[in-house]
Amino acid sequence: MTSLQPHPTDQDLIALLRARGQRVTSQRLVILRELRRRRRHATAEEILEAVRPDLPGTSLPTVYATLDLLGELGLVRKLDVGVGVSLYDGRTEPHQHMVCRACGRVEDLDAELRARPLLRAATDAGFVPERAELVVHGLCAECAGTAPGPRAA
Amino acid sequence: MTSLQPHPTDQDLIALLRARGQRVTSQRLVILRELRRRRRHATAEEILEAVRPDLPGTSLPTVYATLDLLGELGLVRKLDVGVGVSLYDGRTEPHQHMVCRACGRVEDLDAELRARPLLRAATDAGFVPERAELVVHGLCAECAGTAPGPRAA
DNA sequence: ATTGGTGCAAATCCTTTGCAATAGC
DNA sequence: GCTATTGCAAAGGATTTGCACCAAT
């Protein structure tokens, strides 16, 4: 079972790349830093915009390739929740997601997922599980008009 | 919380459509029957191929529109598991899915998902949950070389 | 010096949209 | 007859691919 490093450092990335005989490039370092800096998942396009100042001339294909590589290294989680874009999540603590069917917003859901029985069932079927992801579909507070806080009354 | 009808009949669909003031078309009936007939999720394209004999001249946009409508009616579940295509699942009993990262295969996972705490957490955040979906990522038996049965030794 | 990575442009693929024709009601 | 649905063609948008150049080892 691949586990994500908590808050991976540049050195972590460098070590992982060296171990695979791959090169340490500024694109890889800067994109990892950007993921670390963010508290939220982001699209490849958003990552590109964010790193543009540090990496002028960087292209979307490179961002995709890099995110894909970081995914293999366990430094980022790719999310496909049915909103038409892939999201890349640098938050490494275990957490799940909620997707609003009205506005497409994707929010973090911090609650313990008891996946043990599911993983067990997968294993029994010959499947080798690496990670379990749960998505709650529904309406976000805003779209449902149940926004908590100020206007909760 | 929207719940899926178990093995919906033509009459179920007709009633649901009438209730919404929508028309009963052969495309809608035939596509629902095809979903009922299948035991597995399928792509829009696969559904189109399957219904072609009964509905010559049917087009992909119609299949998408119909699957979308059936989804709203709770007669089919749309799955987005990151394999690049949407899958439509007519299996209405609660079940989850396993996705092989090597070959992209999507298999059913029949094990109880204890989503109560997650849904509770979502509600606490003001979110109105409608359904929870869990996906186990990993390697299928074939790709991992752990195929059970005959060659399990 | 090698060759893996990158940037650019173009291709690919799934899904949606616009609009005239058709079929439910 | 009225208008939602359909079929067709075309558009849209995310991601991938091919290839020449560049930079990490």
Side-chain angles (χ1 to χ4, degrees), chain B residues 68-119:
Chain B
D68 195 55
L69 172 62
L70 294 178
E72 280 181 39
L73 298 178
L75 304 178
V76 68
R77 258 166 53 177
K78 184 183 181 192
L79 301 174
D80 287 285
V81 294
V83 288
V85 232
S86 292
L87 297 175
Y88 297 86
D89 199 336
R91 254 196 87 194
T92 50
E93 315 91 71
H95 67 282
Q96 311 308 321
H97 296 92
M98 305 180 275
V99 181
C100 178
R101 74 165 147 77
C103 68
R105 193 181 311 191
V106 180
E107 299 284 0
D108 284 358
L109 178 58
D110 289 286
E112 194 197 359
L113 172 62
R114 302 199 46 74
R116 216 71 53 77
L118 276 295
L119 296 177

Side-chain angles (χ1 to χ4, degrees), chain B residues 23-24 60-61 64 84-86:
Chain B
R23 296 177 182 172
V24 179
L60 212 32
Y64 276 108
V85 232
S86 292

Side-chain angles (χ1 to χ4, degrees), chain A residues 18 23-24 61 64 84-86:
Chain A
R18 292 254 160 81
R23 295 177 183 174
V24 179
Y64 276 109
V85 231
S86 292

Side-chain angles (χ1 to χ4, degrees), chain A residues 57-112:
Chain A
T58 300
S59 65
L60 212 31
T62 296
V63 174
Y64 276 109
T66 303
L67 290 171
D68 194 55
L69 172 62
L70 295 179
E72 281 180 39
L73 298 178
L75 304 178
V76 66
R77 260 165 52 175
K78 184 184 182 192
L79 301 173
D80 287 285
V81 295
V83 289
V85 231
S86 292
L87 298 175
Y88 297 85
D89 198 337
R91 251 196 89 195
T92 50
E93 315 91 72
H95 67 281
Q96 311 308 321
H97 295 92
M98 306 181 275
V99 182
C100 177
R101 75 164 146 78
C103 68
R105 192 180 314 191
V106 180
E107 299 285 1
D108 284 358
L109 178 58
D110 288 286
E112 194 196 1

